[in-house]
Structures are given as C-alpha cells and as structure tokens.
Amino acid sequence: MTESEIFAVMIDGQVVAQDQARISVFDRGFLYGDSIYEVMRTYDGKIFALREHIDRLFRSAEQVFIDIPVSKDRLSQEILHAASLLELPNLLIRVHITRGIGPYGLDPTGARQPTRVMIVVPLLVPSEDQYRDGIAAALFQSQRTTDNTSAAGAKVANYLVSLLALRQAHAVGAKEAIIVDGRGRVLEGASSNVFIVRSGVIRTPPVNEGILSGITRSYLLKAAAHEGLELRETSLTQTELLDADEVFVSSTTREVLPVTRIDDRTIGTGKVGPITRAIHRAFRAIGGLPAILPGNRPNSTQ
Ligand code: PDD
C-alpha cells in the first residue's frame, strides 16, 4: 500500500486520517503477531456475510484468549461505519484485533486492552481471464503457525508461512500456493480453501485438519446441497489433488477461482470444468448475488 492509495482507517472506534493511522511499537500485534483478523467485502455497498465474519472473529479470539472489548453488535456498527467511509460499491474491509500493549515480554497475561483496527480499501478481484482460463497454483510443503495447537483454524494474523508460500508461487508465475503438510495431506491455499472434483464428486479437506473454516467454503457446502452436487469433507492427498478432474480455490475476494495447473501438471483437460462453474453459479444464487459469473460477462470491458 502506498500513501497515494485511498483507504479509510478506524482505530478503537475512531476514524483516523490516513497519515495518522499508527499504533504503538509496543503493541503485541507488532511485536509477536499476537493478533487475529477478518477480511470481508462489499457487493454494491452491502457487506457480504457480516454476521458470519463477526462470529468467526470472536471464535478466533477465544482460541487465542484475546478478550474483544466490544460486543458483536457494537463491532458490527463500527464495521458498517468504516465501510461507509469510502464511497465505492466494492470494498475490502479488514478488521484486525491485537492483544494490545502489556508488560514488556512474551507473557500475554498483563495485556488487557486489545487494539482494534479497521482498514477499508477498494476491492481488487481476479481478472476475467483468470476466471475464464483458471490460474496456476504451486505446492508448498509446510506446517502452519497454529497446527497441532488448540488455536488450529483460528485466523491469527501471523501469515508468515502463507506469505513465503505465495512468494515462492509468484516466483514461478503461479497465482496461489497450496499448502501440503509433512504427511502429503493437502490443507488449504495461502489465503483460500481448496476443492477438487473427481468423477463428479467435490471434495475438500475437513475443518478438523486445522484449516480456516472459510466463509465462502461454508456457502459452497450449502450451494452444493442446493444444486444437488455431492460435496464431501474428506482428507485429500497431494496425488489426489494432482489427479483431479477439476480443482478450484475459494475465498471472500475470489469467490470460486478455477485452478487449471499445479506446478508442472495440467489439471484435468486444462480447461475450467463444468462442476466448478456450476458451484460458482450456485454460490452466487444462494449468496443473493447477480447470476453472471466474473469472467463470464458478455460485453464486459474489464
Ligand atoms: N483469507 N484459508 C486461508 C488461510 C485464508 O486466509 C482464507 C481467506 C481462506 C478463505 O476464507 P474466506 O472464504 O472466509 O475468505 C481460507 C482472506 C481473504 C485474506 O486473508 O485475505
């Protein structure tokens, strides 16, 4: 982000000018990545799945023992206010809660005033050709920060593994990294959930494998049921991923984004598959969004 980009910030409920948007170097979010966050978006000025994002934020907070100092309703009001600060139809809203400042040192117990920060920026979405042709992804072998801890699946802001994975993916021209653990199990993307299609059945790793319980993912579970598509939450191996007929990733900003190449392997026919399109359409229908898929817009100039 550069100073010339437009964005809006609120810190602890107060609107703050762009050049005044600062928090202390003693904030544990800065010192230890001791914080949690959510990313939501608007469609034509309306925040998508606000309640689900708030619920997940509070669940993440519980998992890492951060006591969010405001109620869910108050936080929702603040988020709506933050979103109203930029007059654009499609926004990305980051809601970030750090443990705040405490006695210097690792021990979190003395830090009792979490800091809440909201950052609102114009939304950037994948290009139409990425939806039309699919993207390339790259595998990345790793554990994540919270794996095998009681905080597994919390949206903690320490995204070091994801950013290393994405950096490596970008270095080989891929748009997303897919994290595979030490046992060859596919977990999720750097910032997305992963799905495969094989013989007409959609599969995605279960939440108890420590993945983020994606809001888009939860809508896709409903969308599949609504559409009569079979979607199973089961472990996935790297081999199953590479041998799939179709692969796609899901996230708030990307909705359903087809993956047609992983490392040097072509997925299926190398074209976006029918089930990926069907579930994307169904997602838009149950989410109350216009039926036309991004990347499939007649006469679009984007
Ligand atoms: N990230 N898995 C990870 C690791 C993520 O960071 C995300 C989203 C998802 C998808 O979750 P959802 O459908 O709720 O967006 C899965 C957001 C978009 C981000 O950090 O930018």
Side-chain angles (χ1 to χ4, degrees):
M1 180 166 287
T2 64
E3 294 279 309
S4 64
E5 282 173 283
I6 23 163
F7 59 104
V9 184
M10 279 172 74
I11 300 178
D12 292 335
Q14 302 297 315
V15 179
V16 185
Q18 187 160 325
D19 56 0
Q20 300 299 313
R22 314 222 185 290
I23 60 165
S24 166
V25 293
F26 298 110
D27 192 292
R28 297 176 59 91
F30 170 71
L31 291 176
Y32 303 114
D34 189 0
S35 55
I36 50 168
Y37 79 105
E38 280 296 317
V39 169
M40 38 199 111
R41 64 163 290 176
T42 61
Y43 286 95
D44 289 331
K46 191 169 178 305
I47 300 177
F48 184 73
L50 174 59
R51 192 73 209 183
E52 289 96 323
H53 281 284
I54 299 241
D55 287 346
R56 187 171 68 184
L57 185 72
F58 274 73
R59 278 204 309 278
S60 295
E62 258 177 50
Q63 281 183 273
V64 299
F65 312 101
I66 288 178
D67 205 3
I68 298 180
V70 291
S71 67
K72 287 186 178 181
D73 282 347
R74 169 86 186 274
L75 196 68
S76 303
Q77 291 310 319
E78 288 184 7
I79 294 168
L80 289 166
H81 185 178
S84 73
L85 297 171
L86 284 193
E87 284 178 18
L88 289 171
N90 297 316
L91 299 169
L92 180 149
I93 305 154
R94 183 183 176 102
V95 180
H96 198 114
I97 314 268
T98 81
R99 200 183 302 276
I101 300 173
Y104 186 80
L106 190 58
D107 179 5
T109 47
R112 296 199 189 87
Q113 275 205 310
T115 309
R116 57 191 192 284
V117 175
M118 291 175 202
I119 302 173
V120 185
V121 298
L123 180 75
L124 288 178
V125 294
S127 63
E128 288 204 15
D129 53 325
Q130 290 179 26
Y131 286 104
R132 195 188 52 233
D133 304 332
I135 58 161
L139 297 177
F140 189 82
Q141 296 253 334
S142 183
Q143 299 280 313
R144 279 91 34 86
T145 313
T146 58
D147 280 346
N148 303 316
T149 73
S150 60
K155 197 160 169 61
V156 296
N158 186 331
Y159 260 50
L160 193 62
V161 169
S162 285
L163 83 82
L164 291 177
L166 192 64
R167 181 180 174 279
Q168 189 164 300
H170 283 172
V172 295
K175 294 280 183 223
E176 176 61 310
I178 295 178
I179 316 278
V180 179
D181 75 5
R183 292 195 280 152
R185 280 183 321 178
V186 174
L187 296 174
E188 60 190 326
S191 63
S192 59
N193 290 113
V194 176
F195 296 74
I196 71 160
V197 180
R198 186 75 208 235
S199 307
V201 177
I202 309 169
R203 289 173 53 199
T204 194
V207 166
N208 66 15
E209 290 189 350
I211 60 166
L212 183 73
S213 178
I215 308 289
T216 319
R217 178 186 183 279
S218 70
Y219 273 79
L220 293 181
L221 293 172
K222 287 185 221 150
H226 187 261
E227 233 9 58
L229 295 166
E230 193 177 342
L231 197 167
R232 295 190 200 143
E233 296 177 80
T234 56
S235 291
L236 289 182
T237 64
Q238 183 174 316
T239 311
E240 288 171 322
L241 175 76
L242 297 175
D243 289 346
D245 301 326
E246 302 176 31
V247 173
F248 59 89
V249 293
S250 73
S251 79
T252 295
T253 53
R254 285 162 287 188
E255 300 183 0
V256 170
L257 189 60
V259 176
T260 45
R261 190 165 191 84
I262 299 178
D263 290 341
D264 52 5
R265 287 278 292 267
T266 300
I267 300 303
T269 61
K271 301 220 172 348
V272 176
I275 294 193
T276 304
R277 284 199 194 285
I279 196 156
H280 194 172
R281 237 177 252 118
F283 165 79
R284 294 210 127 216
I286 67 157
L289 308 171
I292 297 172
L293 303 184
N296 203 13
R297 281 182 211 126
N299 309 321
S300 171
T301 51
Q302 261 192 319

